């Protein structure tokens, strides 16, 4: 795991690993340098707050999800919201592990968003056949904070759209250890997983 504040030298070591996708959206290829620690942290969260397929107003998601941190993103038949407790266990979400919060802070800094301190982490498990339709991340109160998305495991195709749902989408192949960061002018862009 990198330190909380990688210096300029660290960032200059990997200039080829940064891909600018859009104004405010960056892919950091292979940014996760200790995926074992990250996976262990996720395993700890999942043990306390099991992955589950949430219902939504329009059906049931194909992706299994859980959360850690002060708040967690949840859905049910009535809508989407952040809540301090896990509706399935009725206890608070597990704490945000340092391996995850440090990774988010360092990735955000590398992408041009210094000083990011996450208070939640949504964990999505995509088994073969699972997908995520185009959507905006808009349940967060503070949209000055970027979204940091870490890919682990099998490759997947990330769909990157625009401000409108009907905008053309770019297909980005994300591999184990890649991190996507989007904020600023990209913060409310539509995105999904094929
Ligand atoms: Fe999203």
């Amino acid at each position: 795991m990198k330190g909380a504040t990688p210096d300029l030298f660290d960032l200059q070591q990997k200039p080829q690993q940064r891909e600018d996708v859009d104004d405010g959206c960056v892919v950091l290829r292979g940014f996760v340098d200790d995926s074992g620690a990250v996976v262990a942290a996720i395993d700890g969260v999942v043990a306390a707050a099991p992955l589950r397929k949430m219902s939504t107003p329009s059906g049931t998601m194909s992706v299994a999800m859980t959360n850690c941190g002060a708040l967690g993103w949840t859905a049910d038949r009535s809508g989407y919201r952040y809540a301090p407790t896990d509706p399935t266990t009725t206890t608070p979400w597990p704490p945000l592990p340092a391996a995850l919060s440090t990774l988010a802070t360092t990735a955000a800094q590398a992408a041009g968003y210094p000083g990011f301190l996450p208070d939640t982490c949504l964990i999505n498990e995509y088994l073969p056949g699972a997908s995520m339709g185009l959507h905006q991340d808009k349940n967060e109160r503070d949209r000055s904070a970027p979204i940091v998305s870490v890919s682990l495991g099998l490759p997947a195709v990330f769909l990157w759209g625009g401000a409108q749902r009907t905008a053309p989408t770019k297909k980005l192949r994300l591999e184990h250890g890649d991190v996507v960061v989007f904020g600023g002018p990209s913060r409310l862009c539509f995105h999904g997983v094929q």
Side-chain angles (χ1 to χ4, degrees):
M1 181 60 62
K2 296 177 176 66
T5 52
D7 61 23
L8 192 56
F9 180 77
D10 286 332
L11 301 180
Q12 287 174 335
Q13 291 283 68
K14 309 176 182 177
Q16 77 285 359
Q17 293 182 319
R18 177 188 165 119
E19 286 177 29
D20 288 296
V21 176
D22 207 339
D23 188 12
C25 178
V26 172
V27 180
L28 304 168
R29 297 286 179 191
F31 189 84
V32 180
D33 64 7
D34 188 357
S35 63
V38 174
V39 170
I42 293 169
D43 286 344
V45 171
V46 169
L51 291 158
R52 81 295 304 265
K53 293 182 179 177
M54 297 183 190
S55 297
T56 73
S58 56
T60 301
M61 303 185 85
S62 62
V63 182
M65 296 177 163
T66 188
N67 291 274
C68 53
L71 296 167
W73 185 88
T74 64
D76 60 24
R77 293 290 177 210
S78 66
Y80 315 94
R81 69 195 67 82
Y82 280 92
T85 56
D86 178 346
T88 61
T89 65
T90 68
T91 59
W93 297 103
L96 189 54
L100 300 184
S101 59
T102 302
L103 174 58
T105 298
T106 55
Q109 172 160 332
Y113 301 97
F116 174 54
L117 294 173
D119 56 5
T120 183
C121 177
L122 173 61
I123 296 165
N124 294 352
E125 179 192 55
Y126 293 84
L127 295 179
S131 62
M132 175 78 72
L134 282 179
H135 66 278
Q136 294 169 293
D137 293 350
K138 57 183 183 183
N139 295 127
E140 299 76 26
R141 282 186 199 155
D142 181 2
R143 295 188 187 149
S144 69
I147 302 293
V148 178
S149 177
V150 178
S151 292
L152 297 165
L154 295 175
V157 176
F158 184 65
L159 302 171
W160 181 256
Q164 306 298 325
R165 185 180 292 278
T166 52
T169 53
K170 291 178 193 169
K171 293 184 178 183
L172 302 169
R173 181 183 164 94
L174 297 181
E175 304 204 5
H176 180 74
D178 291 347
V179 179
V180 181
V181 182
F182 55 101
S186 284
R187 178 61 183 75
L188 288 177
C189 282
F190 280 86
H191 57 279
V193 175
Q194 196 171 49

mmCIF file of all heavy atoms in Angstrom, residues 128-171:
data_model
loop_
_atom_site.group_PDB
_atom_site.id
_atom_site.type_symbol
_atom_site.label_atom_id
_atom_site.label_comp_id
_atom_site.label_asym_id
_atom_site.label_seq_id
_atom_site.Cartn_x
_atom_site.Cartn_y
_atom_site.Cartn_z
ATOM 1 N N PRO A 128 -20.177 -13.799 -13.254
ATOM 2 C CA PRO A 128 -20.447 -13.829 -14.700
ATOM 3 C C PRO A 128 -21.944 -13.669 -14.976
ATOM 4 O O PRO A 128 -22.779 -14.321 -14.340
ATOM 5 C CB PRO A 128 -19.937 -15.214 -15.113
ATOM 6 C CG PRO A 128 -18.813 -15.477 -14.151
ATOM 7 C CD PRO A 128 -19.296 -14.902 -12.837
ATOM 8 N N GLY A 129 -22.277 -12.769 -15.905
ATOM 9 C CA GLY A 129 -23.672 -12.504 -16.246
ATOM 10 C C GLY A 129 -24.247 -11.292 -15.548
ATOM 11 O O GLY A 129 -25.277 -10.771 -15.976
ATOM 12 N N ALA A 130 -23.616 -10.831 -14.484
ATOM 13 C CA ALA A 130 -24.121 -9.646 -13.783
ATOM 14 C C ALA A 130 -23.747 -8.382 -14.561
ATOM 15 O O ALA A 130 -22.739 -8.351 -15.270
ATOM 16 C CB ALA A 130 -23.554 -9.582 -12.367
ATOM 17 N N SER A 131 -24.560 -7.373 -14.430
ATOM 18 C CA SER A 131 -24.289 -6.112 -15.105
ATOM 19 C C SER A 131 -24.893 -4.974 -14.293
ATOM 20 O O SER A 131 -25.634 -5.207 -13.332
ATOM 21 C CB SER A 131 -24.887 -6.121 -16.515
ATOM 22 O OG SER A 131 -26.297 -6.263 -16.443
ATOM 23 N N MET A 132 -24.543 -3.773 -14.696
ATOM 24 C CA MET A 132 -25.084 -2.579 -14.031
ATOM 25 C C MET A 132 -25.493 -1.607 -15.128
ATOM 26 O O MET A 132 -24.654 -1.163 -15.898
ATOM 27 C CB MET A 132 -23.998 -1.959 -13.140
ATOM 28 C CG MET A 132 -24.388 -0.662 -12.487
ATOM 29 S SD MET A 132 -25.451 -0.881 -11.078
ATOM 30 C CE MET A 132 -24.269 -1.563 -9.910
ATOM 31 N N GLY A 133 -26.771 -1.316 -15.197
ATOM 32 C CA GLY A 133 -27.250 -0.404 -16.229
ATOM 33 C C GLY A 133 -26.709 1.004 -16.057
ATOM 34 O O GLY A 133 -26.222 1.383 -14.978
ATOM 35 N N LEU A 134 -26.775 1.776 -17.133
ATOM 36 C CA LEU A 134 -26.303 3.161 -17.074
ATOM 37 C C LEU A 134 -27.038 3.924 -15.979
ATOM 38 O O LEU A 134 -28.266 3.848 -15.876
ATOM 39 C CB LEU A 134 -26.545 3.860 -18.413
ATOM 40 C CG LEU A 134 -25.575 3.562 -19.554
ATOM 41 C CD1 LEU A 134 -26.002 4.333 -20.795
ATOM 42 C CD2 LEU A 134 -24.143 3.902 -19.175
ATOM 43 N N HIS A 135 -26.290 4.625 -15.165
ATOM 44 C CA HIS A 135 -26.894 5.386 -14.067
ATOM 45 C C HIS A 135 -25.973 6.535 -13.692
ATOM 46 O O HIS A 135 -24.808 6.568 -14.080
ATOM 47 C CB HIS A 135 -27.107 4.488 -12.843
ATOM 48 C CG HIS A 135 -25.829 4.006 -12.245
ATOM 49 N ND1 HIS A 135 -25.137 2.924 -12.737
ATOM 50 C CD2 HIS A 135 -25.071 4.485 -11.211
ATOM 51 C CE1 HIS A 135 -24.027 2.747 -12.033
ATOM 52 N NE2 HIS A 135 -23.955 3.680 -11.103
ATOM 53 N N GLN A 136 -26.523 7.458 -12.910
ATOM 54 C CA GLN A 136 -25.718 8.522 -12.297
ATOM 55 C C GLN A 136 -25.586 8.214 -10.812
ATOM 56 O O GLN A 136 -26.506 7.682 -10.200
ATOM 57 C CB GLN A 136 -26.422 9.875 -12.434
ATOM 58 C CG GLN A 136 -26.567 10.385 -13.845
ATOM 59 C CD GLN A 136 -27.496 11.589 -13.884
ATOM 60 O OE1 GLN A 136 -28.691 11.468 -13.630
ATOM 61 N NE2 GLN A 136 -26.940 12.749 -14.206
ATOM 62 N N ASP A 137 -24.444 8.565 -10.222
ATOM 63 C CA ASP A 137 -24.281 8.461 -8.772
ATOM 64 C C ASP A 137 -24.747 9.787 -8.190
ATOM 65 O O ASP A 137 -24.011 10.778 -8.206
ATOM 66 C CB ASP A 137 -22.813 8.216 -8.407
ATOM 67 C CG ASP A 137 -22.322 6.849 -8.859
ATOM 68 O OD1 ASP A 137 -23.150 6.015 -9.275
ATOM 69 O OD2 ASP A 137 -21.106 6.620 -8.796
ATOM 70 N N LYS A 138 -25.971 9.809 -7.694
ATOM 71 C CA LYS A 138 -26.516 11.104 -7.261
ATOM 72 C C LYS A 138 -27.204 11.039 -5.906
ATOM 73 O O LYS A 138 -27.963 11.939 -5.563
ATOM 74 C CB LYS A 138 -27.449 11.689 -8.328
ATOM 75 C CG LYS A 138 -28.603 10.793 -8.713
ATOM 76 C CD LYS A 138 -29.420 11.450 -9.826
ATOM 77 C CE LYS A 138 -30.615 10.591 -10.165
ATOM 78 N NZ LYS A 138 -31.390 11.145 -11.277
ATOM 79 N N ASN A 139 -26.940 9.981 -5.127
ATOM 80 C CA ASN A 139 -27.494 9.924 -3.772
ATOM 81 C C ASN A 139 -26.545 10.540 -2.746
ATOM 82 O O ASN A 139 -26.846 10.551 -1.550
ATOM 83 C CB ASN A 139 -27.796 8.475 -3.374
ATOM 84 C CG ASN A 139 -28.882 7.844 -4.225
ATOM 85 O OD1 ASN A 139 -28.691 6.770 -4.782
ATOM 86 N ND2 ASN A 139 -30.016 8.513 -4.376
ATOM 87 N N GLU A 140 -25.379 11.035 -3.206
ATOM 88 C CA GLU A 140 -24.397 11.615 -2.292
ATOM 89 C C GLU A 140 -24.694 13.099 -2.104
ATOM 90 O O GLU A 140 -24.997 13.808 -3.057
ATOM 91 C CB GLU A 140 -22.973 11.436 -2.856
ATOM 92 C CG GLU A 140 -22.561 9.983 -3.044
ATOM 93 C CD GLU A 140 -23.200 9.316 -4.266
ATOM 94 O OE1 GLU A 140 -23.555 10.041 -5.221
ATOM 95 O OE2 GLU A 140 -23.363 8.081 -4.242
ATOM 96 N N ARG A 141 -24.571 13.557 -0.855
ATOM 97 C CA ARG A 141 -24.872 14.967 -0.572
ATOM 98 C C ARG A 141 -23.764 15.889 -1.073
ATOM 99 O O ARG A 141 -24.026 16.982 -1.544
ATOM 100 C CB ARG A 141 -25.029 15.171 0.930
ATOM 101 C CG ARG A 141 -26.372 14.713 1.437
ATOM 102 C CD ARG A 141 -26.521 15.077 2.901
ATOM 103 N NE ARG A 141 -27.586 14.265 3.494
ATOM 104 C CZ ARG A 141 -27.671 13.976 4.774
ATOM 105 N NH1 ARG A 141 -26.756 14.431 5.619
ATOM 106 N NH2 ARG A 141 -28.643 13.238 5.225
ATOM 107 N N ASP A 142 -22.509 15.456 -0.906
ATOM 108 C CA ASP A 142 -21.365 16.312 -1.251
ATOM 109 C C ASP A 142 -20.802 15.861 -2.591
ATOM 110 O O ASP A 142 -20.001 14.942 -2.657
ATOM 111 C CB ASP A 142 -20.296 16.224 -0.160
ATOM 112 C CG ASP A 142 -19.096 17.113 -0.474
ATOM 113 O OD1 ASP A 142 -19.122 17.813 -1.522
ATOM 114 O OD2 ASP A 142 -18.142 17.102 0.317
ATOM 115 N N ARG A 143 -21.221 16.542 -3.635
ATOM 116 C CA ARG A 143 -20.765 16.116 -4.954
ATOM 117 C C ARG A 143 -19.450 16.773 -5.346
ATOM 118 O O ARG A 143 -18.970 16.600 -6.469
ATOM 119 C CB ARG A 143 -21.848 16.374 -5.990
ATOM 120 C CG ARG A 143 -23.059 15.499 -5.697
ATOM 121 C CD ARG A 143 -24.100 15.554 -6.782
ATOM 122 N NE ARG A 143 -25.302 14.831 -6.350
ATOM 123 C CZ ARG A 143 -26.527 15.141 -6.721
ATOM 124 N NH1 ARG A 143 -26.728 16.164 -7.539
ATOM 125 N NH2 ARG A 143 -27.548 14.449 -6.294
ATOM 126 N N SER A 144 -18.836 17.499 -4.408
ATOM 127 C CA SER A 144 -17.475 17.979 -4.668
ATOM 128 C C SER A 144 -16.479 16.836 -4.484
ATOM 129 O O SER A 144 -15.346 16.920 -4.947
ATOM 130 C CB SER A 144 -17.119 19.139 -3.736
ATOM 131 O OG SER A 144 -16.995 18.685 -2.404
ATOM 132 N N ALA A 145 -16.908 15.758 -3.804
ATOM 133 C CA ALA A 145 -16.043 14.586 -3.634
ATOM 134 C C ALA A 145 -16.115 13.716 -4.888
ATOM 135 O O ALA A 145 -17.193 13.523 -5.448
ATOM 136 C CB ALA A 145 -16.480 13.777 -2.412
ATOM 137 N N PRO A 146 -14.971 13.183 -5.333
ATOM 138 C CA PRO A 146 -14.998 12.311 -6.505
ATOM 139 C C PRO A 146 -15.518 10.922 -6.146
ATOM 140 O O PRO A 146 -15.590 10.556 -4.966
ATOM 141 C CB PRO A 146 -13.516 12.229 -6.911
ATOM 142 C CG PRO A 146 -12.784 12.339 -5.607
ATOM 143 C CD PRO A 146 -13.603 13.307 -4.778
ATOM 144 N N ILE A 147 -15.874 10.166 -7.169
ATOM 145 C CA ILE A 147 -16.130 8.728 -7.028
ATOM 146 C C ILE A 147 -14.830 8.004 -7.366
ATOM 147 O O ILE A 147 -14.207 8.290 -8.395
ATOM 148 C CB ILE A 147 -17.243 8.268 -7.991
ATOM 149 C CG1 ILE A 147 -18.540 9.038 -7.756
ATOM 150 C CG2 ILE A 147 -17.453 6.758 -7.890
ATOM 151 C CD1 ILE A 147 -19.220 8.772 -6.442
ATOM 152 N N VAL A 148 -14.413 7.088 -6.503
ATOM 153 C CA VAL A 148 -13.226 6.267 -6.752
ATOM 154 C C VAL A 148 -13.694 4.819 -6.873
ATOM 155 O O VAL A 148 -14.296 4.288 -5.942
ATOM 156 C CB VAL A 148 -12.195 6.402 -5.613
ATOM 157 C CG1 VAL A 148 -10.995 5.493 -5.864
ATOM 158 C CG2 VAL A 148 -11.747 7.850 -5.472
ATOM 159 N N SER A 149 -13.443 4.198 -8.027
ATOM 160 C CA SER A 149 -13.943 2.847 -8.301
ATOM 161 C C SER A 149 -12.770 1.918 -8.565
ATOM 162 O O SER A 149 -11.997 2.130 -9.502
ATOM 163 C CB SER A 149 -14.877 2.909 -9.518
ATOM 164 O OG SER A 149 -15.322 1.609 -9.849
ATOM 165 N N VAL A 150 -12.642 0.887 -7.738
ATOM 166 C CA VAL A 150 -11.515 -0.046 -7.816
ATOM 167 C C VAL A 150 -12.005 -1.356 -8.420
ATOM 168 O O VAL A 150 -13.023 -1.898 -7.975
ATOM 169 C CB VAL A 150 -10.946 -0.312 -6.402
ATOM 170 C CG1 VAL A 150 -9.810 -1.318 -6.450
ATOM 171 C CG2 VAL A 150 -10.498 1.001 -5.759
ATOM 172 N N SER A 151 -11.290 -1.869 -9.423
ATOM 173 C CA SER A 151 -11.651 -3.142 -10.040
ATOM 174 C C SER A 151 -10.723 -4.239 -9.546
ATOM 175 O O SER A 151 -9.501 -4.082 -9.573
ATOM 176 C CB SER A 151 -11.539 -3.048 -11.571
ATOM 177 O OG SER A 151 -12.522 -2.179 -12.079
ATOM 178 N N LEU A 152 -11.321 -5.351 -9.137
ATOM 179 C CA LEU A 152 -10.550 -6.504 -8.669
ATOM 180 C C LEU A 152 -11.123 -7.762 -9.313
ATOM 181 O O LEU A 152 -12.335 -7.865 -9.510
ATOM 182 C CB LEU A 152 -10.636 -6.631 -7.144
ATOM 183 C CG LEU A 152 -10.050 -5.461 -6.342
ATOM 184 C CD1 LEU A 152 -10.515 -5.527 -4.887
ATOM 185 C CD2 LEU A 152 -8.531 -5.457 -6.421
ATOM 186 N N GLY A 153 -10.256 -8.708 -9.615
ATOM 187 C CA GLY A 153 -10.721 -9.985 -10.147
ATOM 188 C C GLY A 153 -10.725 -10.005 -11.662
ATOM 189 O O GLY A 153 -9.828 -9.452 -12.307
ATOM 190 N N LEU A 154 -11.754 -10.640 -12.229
ATOM 191 C CA LEU A 154 -11.822 -10.803 -13.686
ATOM 192 C C LEU A 154 -12.011 -9.463 -14.372
ATOM 193 O O LEU A 154 -12.593 -8.540 -13.793
ATOM 194 C CB LEU A 154 -12.985 -11.726 -14.054
ATOM 195 C CG LEU A 154 -12.874 -13.178 -13.584
ATOM 196 C CD1 LEU A 154 -14.167 -13.931 -13.925
ATOM 197 C CD2 LEU A 154 -11.682 -13.863 -14.243
ATOM 198 N N PRO A 155 -11.539 -9.341 -15.638
ATOM 199 C CA PRO A 155 -11.782 -8.099 -16.382
ATOM 200 C C PRO A 155 -13.271 -7.868 -16.597
ATOM 201 O O PRO A 155 -14.068 -8.801 -16.610
ATOM 202 C CB PRO A 155 -11.092 -8.343 -17.733
ATOM 203 C CG PRO A 155 -10.172 -9.496 -17.520
ATOM 204 C CD PRO A 155 -10.780 -10.324 -16.418
ATOM 205 N N ALA A 156 -13.627 -6.602 -16.757
ATOM 206 C CA ALA A 156 -15.015 -6.239 -17.039
ATOM 207 C C ALA A 156 -14.998 -5.039 -17.976
ATOM 208 O O ALA A 156 -13.979 -4.360 -18.126
ATOM 209 C CB ALA A 156 -15.758 -5.892 -15.751
ATOM 210 N N VAL A 157 -16.128 -4.794 -18.616
ATOM 211 C CA VAL A 157 -16.246 -3.648 -19.518
ATOM 212 C C VAL A 157 -17.059 -2.568 -18.822
ATOM 213 O O VAL A 157 -18.245 -2.761 -18.517
ATOM 214 C CB VAL A 157 -16.890 -4.040 -20.856
ATOM 215 C CG1 VAL A 157 -17.088 -2.806 -21.736
ATOM 216 C CG2 VAL A 157 -16.030 -5.070 -21.571
ATOM 217 N N PHE A 158 -16.381 -1.461 -18.554
ATOM 218 C CA PHE A 158 -17.004 -0.298 -17.918
ATOM 219 C C PHE A 158 -17.535 0.599 -19.021
ATOM 220 O O PHE A 158 -16.845 0.855 -20.013
ATOM 221 C CB PHE A 158 -15.943 0.422 -17.077
ATOM 222 C CG PHE A 158 -16.437 1.591 -16.270
ATOM 223 C CD1 PHE A 158 -17.338 1.429 -15.237
ATOM 224 C CD2 PHE A 158 -15.944 2.869 -16.526
ATOM 225 C CE1 PHE A 158 -17.775 2.510 -14.471
ATOM 226 C CE2 PHE A 158 -16.357 3.956 -15.759
ATOM 227 C CZ PHE A 158 -17.276 3.777 -14.731
ATOM 228 N N LEU A 159 -18.760 1.042 -18.865
ATOM 229 C CA LEU A 159 -19.378 1.917 -19.853
ATOM 230 C C LEU A 159 -19.329 3.349 -19.335
ATOM 231 O O LEU A 159 -19.792 3.629 -18.227
ATOM 232 C CB LEU A 159 -20.839 1.505 -20.083
ATOM 233 C CG LEU A 159 -21.052 0.068 -20.542
ATOM 234 C CD1 LEU A 159 -22.544 -0.279 -20.527
ATOM 235 C CD2 LEU A 159 -20.464 -0.154 -21.929
ATOM 236 N N TRP A 160 -18.773 4.226 -20.150
ATOM 237 C CA TRP A 160 -18.670 5.626 -19.755
ATOM 238 C C TRP A 160 -19.473 6.479 -20.715
ATOM 239 O O TRP A 160 -19.177 6.528 -21.909
ATOM 240 C CB TRP A 160 -17.207 6.095 -19.720
ATOM 241 C CG TRP A 160 -17.108 7.529 -19.300
ATOM 242 C CD1 TRP A 160 -16.867 8.603 -20.097
ATOM 243 C CD2 TRP A 160 -17.286 8.033 -17.971
ATOM 244 N NE1 TRP A 160 -16.894 9.758 -19.349
ATOM 245 C CE2 TRP A 160 -17.153 9.428 -18.035
ATOM 246 C CE3 TRP A 160 -17.569 7.433 -16.739
ATOM 247 C CZ2 TRP A 160 -17.279 10.244 -16.914
ATOM 248 C CZ3 TRP A 160 -17.690 8.242 -15.624
ATOM 249 C CH2 TRP A 160 -17.534 9.632 -15.711
ATOM 250 N N GLY A 161 -20.503 7.134 -20.217
ATOM 251 C CA GLY A 161 -21.379 7.929 -21.060
ATOM 252 C C GLY A 161 -21.144 9.412 -20.878
ATOM 253 O O GLY A 161 -20.014 9.872 -20.720
ATOM 254 N N GLY A 162 -22.208 10.157 -20.848
ATOM 255 C CA GLY A 162 -22.105 11.605 -20.736
ATOM 256 C C GLY A 162 -23.123 12.143 -19.753
ATOM 257 O O GLY A 162 -23.667 11.398 -18.922
ATOM 258 N N ALA A 163 -23.397 13.417 -19.848
ATOM 259 C CA ALA A 163 -24.314 14.057 -18.909
ATOM 260 C C ALA A 163 -25.755 13.606 -19.130
ATOM 261 O O ALA A 163 -26.564 13.654 -18.205
ATOM 262 C CB ALA A 163 -24.210 15.575 -19.035
ATOM 263 N N GLN A 164 -26.050 13.179 -20.345
ATOM 264 C CA GLN A 164 -27.396 12.690 -20.657
ATOM 265 C C GLN A 164 -27.354 11.181 -20.853
ATOM 266 O O GLN A 164 -26.382 10.646 -21.387
ATOM 267 C CB GLN A 164 -27.928 13.350 -21.942
ATOM 268 C CG GLN A 164 -27.889 14.875 -21.917
ATOM 269 C CD GLN A 164 -28.754 15.482 -20.838
ATOM 270 O OE1 GLN A 164 -29.825 14.961 -20.517
ATOM 271 N NE2 GLN A 164 -28.287 16.586 -20.248
ATOM 272 N N ARG A 165 -28.430 10.513 -20.467
ATOM 273 C CA ARG A 165 -28.490 9.053 -20.598
ATOM 274 C C ARG A 165 -28.297 8.601 -22.042
ATOM 275 O O ARG A 165 -27.777 7.514 -22.310
ATOM 276 C CB ARG A 165 -29.844 8.553 -20.080
ATOM 277 C CG ARG A 165 -29.990 7.053 -20.044
ATOM 278 C CD ARG A 165 -31.362 6.659 -19.529
ATOM 279 N NE ARG A 165 -31.551 6.990 -18.136
ATOM 280 C CZ ARG A 165 -31.125 6.238 -17.115
ATOM 281 N NH1 ARG A 165 -30.493 5.110 -17.349
ATOM 282 N NH2 ARG A 165 -31.326 6.613 -15.870
ATOM 283 N N THR A 166 -28.736 9.439 -22.978
ATOM 284 C CA THR A 166 -28.702 9.056 -24.393
ATOM 285 C C THR A 166 -27.345 9.333 -25.049
ATOM 286 O O THR A 166 -27.160 9.031 -26.224
ATOM 287 C CB THR A 166 -29.776 9.842 -25.164
ATOM 288 O OG1 THR A 166 -29.614 11.246 -24.861
ATOM 289 C CG2 THR A 166 -31.173 9.401 -24.751
ATOM 290 N N ALA A 167 -26.405 9.891 -24.303
ATOM 291 C CA ALA A 167 -25.090 10.187 -24.887
ATOM 292 C C ALA A 167 -24.394 8.889 -25.299
ATOM 293 O O ALA A 167 -24.615 7.840 -24.692
ATOM 294 C CB ALA A 167 -24.230 10.933 -23.876
ATOM 295 N N PRO A 168 -23.546 8.942 -26.339
ATOM 296 C CA PRO A 168 -22.805 7.740 -26.718
ATOM 297 C C PRO A 168 -21.900 7.275 -25.577
ATOM 298 O O PRO A 168 -21.441 8.092 -24.778
ATOM 299 C CB PRO A 168 -21.972 8.176 -27.926
ATOM 300 C CG PRO A 168 -22.230 9.618 -28.145
ATOM 301 C CD PRO A 168 -23.242 10.101 -27.174
ATOM 302 N N THR A 169 -21.674 5.959 -25.488
ATOM 303 C CA THR A 169 -20.831 5.430 -24.410
ATOM 304 C C THR A 169 -19.509 4.930 -24.963
ATOM 305 O O THR A 169 -19.444 4.363 -26.050
ATOM 306 C CB THR A 169 -21.538 4.264 -23.675
ATOM 307 O OG1 THR A 169 -21.953 3.295 -24.630
ATOM 308 C CG2 THR A 169 -22.736 4.758 -22.882
ATOM 309 N N LYS A 170 -18.465 5.165 -24.164
ATOM 310 C CA LYS A 170 -17.155 4.549 -24.420
ATOM 311 C C LYS A 170 -17.106 3.244 -23.643
ATOM 312 O O LYS A 170 -17.620 3.168 -22.531
ATOM 313 C CB LYS A 170 -16.023 5.446 -23.904
ATOM 314 C CG LYS A 170 -15.813 6.729 -24.659
ATOM 315 C CD LYS A 170 -14.689 7.521 -23.998
ATOM 316 C CE LYS A 170 -14.673 8.946 -24.521
ATOM 317 N NZ LYS A 170 -13.784 9.835 -23.756
ATOM 318 N N LYS A 171 -16.458 2.236 -24.210
ATOM 319 C CA LYS A 171 -16.262 0.969 -23.506
ATOM 320 C C LYS A 171 -14.818 0.887 -23.033
ATOM 321 O O LYS A 171 -13.892 0.958 -23.848
ATOM 322 C CB LYS A 171 -16.579 -0.207 -24.430
ATOM 323 C CG LYS A 171 -18.044 -0.277 -24.805
ATOM 324 C CD LYS A 171 -18.351 -1.505 -25.646
ATOM 325 C CE LYS A 171 -19.843 -1.555 -25.966
ATOM 326 N NZ LYS A 171 -20.199 -2.773 -26.736
#
